[in-house]
Amino acid sequence: MRHTIPVDQIGAPGPAMVRAIEACVHCGFCLPACPTYRLMGEEMDSPRGRILLMKETLEGELRIDEAMPFIDRCLGCLGCVTACPSGVAYGELVTPFQAYAEARRTRSLASRMQRLLVRETLPYPGRFRWAAQLGKLVRPFSRWLPHELRSMLSLLPKRLPAARPLPALYPAAGQRRARVALLAGCIQQALAPEINWATLRVLSKNGVEVVIPSNQGCCGALLMHSGEDERARRFARRNLDAFPKDVDAVLTNAAGCGSGMRDYGLLFKGLPEQAAAEAFAQRVKDVSAFLDELGIQPPAPLPQSLKLAYHDACHLAHAQGVTQAPRHLLASIPNLTLVEIPDAELCCGSAGVYNIEQPEIAQRLGRRKAESILQTGAEAVAAGNIGCLVQIRAHLERLAQPLPVYHTFEILDRAYRA
């Protein structure tokens, strides 16, 4: 496909976007891997359809507001990248395009309010706690609110666990084998603080000393994938300064955060921080991949046998290519049987703030994922991303099948403490 996209103008698309567009040969291998195409069956709701829309928009053949309803329905799960035989870097196209379009599109007042609330609360655990309490008071009156705000209220948990601040340093137990830094995360600290503590205990048990920089902040992934690139860069700059360089790796235990931090090079493309951002991104690893490479100390058997379904978070499996490491770690636990989920490669519908901005599609995908999990006969579910955990738990409860839902490292922690 020969392009006529202007790439030499300030604010115009860059060469990476052009390469991604040109690489697509419209073969159709992406179609069965795309959750929205599987649900809706519309060409413009598929990756190759969206690529065509972006191309025509950038060439001035289509207005941005005509294309964006279809682009907005993209989950950014990158399942198409895994399936594509031509190596189309869809992420290098859709993420910059969203930033390009955000500055030029038209949004309703309710949509602007929704995005304001998201960017001013979700990246800040303290603010999120306050907003969750306020949301409980507003929820009885939600039927009078725009649907954009109702969707946010519907996702609030009934209660939040007590805050559990993290230490600056968590020492290795016994001989130190590695020294790492850990991203604490934002929403995860408020919704499930035990995940970080389980991660610290498991790493310590395996001889890993963990530094938790006190001046770190949000990774910026939610904003990056929402077209808020400048705000995302503010968070990223803070982390580039906050995380020490004298560690073996910068670890994340949330797939979306890890994917976002590994994209810092793309976020700072053409800017003075690009080299530093790329170097930082190369040191970022998911905690499961790091521990699997390091080698795990044998866990104790679980007190009772457990049939566990493992869910592949999209930004772990597709964006980071990490699929086997979590399975290796879980399979090392005696008395645990790991089972695979049908259509495991399809997104659960959480996808950052997707279940806020596209609640109807997110609900259909969440129900589909929950039904697939129940088909396995599993007694519990594990995943490596807080958004997936919240989404899967909610939809299992809606099906009146409230299976326990854990982070991978919570299961490992249970085995070590057995």
Side-chain angles (χ1 to χ4, degrees):
M1 183 190 302
R2 186 169 182 81
H3 73 84
T4 56
I5 300 170
V7 296
D8 56 346
Q9 302 171 12
I10 295 175
M17 295 174 69
V18 175
R19 285 196 299 271
I21 288 173
E22 290 184 328
C24 179
V25 297
H26 293 258
C27 64
F29 277 87
C30 62
L31 300 182
C34 177
T36 51
Y37 183 81
R38 290 275 291 269
L39 282 183
M40 305 168 83
E42 295 289 340
E43 177 69 15
M44 293 301 100
D45 282 304
S46 74
R48 69 179 186 183
R50 291 183 176 114
I51 287 174
L52 181 61
L53 289 173
M54 287 185 272
K55 176 180 182 292
E56 290 183 347
T57 301
L58 295 171
E59 291 179 339
E61 299 296 322
L62 189 67
R63 291 189 299 107
I64 284 178
D65 287 345
E66 293 176 306
M68 291 314 294
F70 301 98
I71 309 300
D72 287 342
R73 286 198 286 268
C74 174
L75 291 117
C77 69
L78 302 185
C80 56
V81 173
T82 300
C84 180
S86 301
V88 176
Y90 184 79
E92 293 186 8
L93 171 59
V94 71
T95 300
F97 182 84
Q98 286 168 330
Y100 173 84
E102 190 59 35
R104 296 163 173 82
R105 67 181 299 177
T106 303
R107 284 193 178 273
S108 68
L109 176 61
S111 177
R112 294 199 301 272
M113 288 175 61
Q114 181 191 66
R115 290 173 69 85
L116 175 66
L117 289 170
V118 165
R119 70 170 180 254
E120 296 300 331
T121 57
L122 297 193
Y124 308 96
R127 292 185 194 177
F128 177 79
R129 285 182 169 277
W130 177 85
Q133 295 302 321
L134 181 61
K136 289 181 184 178
L137 299 176
V138 176
R139 185 181 280 164
F141 310 100
S142 62
R143 67 173 178 265
W144 290 292
L145 296 175
H147 78 274
E148 290 91 343
L149 302 183
R150 289 201 304 271
S151 67
M152 296 182 70
L153 290 174
S154 69
L155 294 169
L156 287 176
K158 294 178 181 178
R159 61 182 179 85
L160 292 177
R164 297 193 61 193
L166 298 171
L169 179 71
Y170 201 89
Q175 182 178 1
R176 192 178 81 178
R177 302 168 65 203
R179 183 171 185 265
V180 301
L182 178 69
L183 179 78
C186 304
I187 289 295
Q188 184 168 280
Q189 287 191 71
L191 293 179
E194 179 59 21
I195 292 175
N196 279 339
W197 283 97
T199 299
L200 293 177
R201 289 190 293 266
V202 170
L203 290 173
S204 176
K205 181 73 175 179
N206 284 277
V208 182
E209 179 182 274
V210 186
V211 178
I212 305 101
S214 60
N215 55 338
Q216 66 174 289
C218 173
C219 67
L222 290 178
L223 295 168
M224 193 187 316
H225 297 146
S226 299
E228 305 262 3
D229 56 342
E230 188 48 52
R231 287 187 174 89
R233 280 192 281 268
R234 292 177 200 166
F235 285 120
R237 288 187 181 100
R238 178 175 177 176
N239 287 329
L240 291 177
D241 292 335
F243 280 85
K245 294 181 173 59
D246 60 341
V247 292
D248 298 304
V250 174
L251 300 188
T252 67
N253 54 15
C257 298
S259 172
M261 294 172 78
R262 288 169 66 89
D263 276 345
Y264 276 5
L266 177 63
L267 183 63
F268 286 100
K269 196 80 171 178
L271 297 176
E273 302 97 332
Q274 181 178 341
E278 290 174 344
F280 179 89
Q282 290 175 1
R283 297 191 296 137
V284 174
K285 286 188 177 181
D286 185 78
V287 65
S288 64
F290 178 83
L291 187 56
D292 188 49
E293 291 173 9
L294 183 67
I296 192 172
Q297 301 291 334
L302 294 175
Q304 294 181 325
S305 63
L306 179 66
K307 189 176 183 180
L308 182 74
Y310 175 75
H311 162 72
D312 284 292
C314 295
H315 281 92
L316 194 54
H318 301 309
Q320 300 183 63
V322 176
T323 57
Q324 294 308 307
R327 289 174 169 82
H328 290 163
L329 297 177
L330 292 168
S332 72
I333 302 174
N335 227 7
L336 183 148
T337 301
L338 203 58
V339 295
E340 295 296 328
I341 301 170
D343 279 336
E345 72 281 0
L346 286 184
C347 183
C348 69
S350 176
V353 295
Y354 191 88
N355 53 6
I356 295 174
E357 297 189 339
Q358 301 286 336
E360 292 84 5
I361 298 174
Q363 287 172 16
R364 292 172 65 186
L365 289 171
R367 182 184 179 92
R368 184 173 186 158
K369 180 62 68 173
E371 290 172 342
S372 295
I373 289 169
L374 293 174
Q375 288 178 32
T376 68
E379 299 164 308
V381 188
N385 188 59
I386 182 63
C388 302
L389 299 178
V390 171
Q391 175 83 335
I392 290 170
R393 182 181 293 115
H395 284 277
L396 287 171
E397 289 176 354
R398 290 176 188 177
L399 293 174
Q401 298 282 345
L403 301 182
V405 180
Y406 301 105
H407 190 280
T408 305
F409 271 58
E410 290 182 291
I411 298 290
L412 286 166
D413 185 47
R414 286 180 62 191
Y416 281 124
R417 300 170 78 185

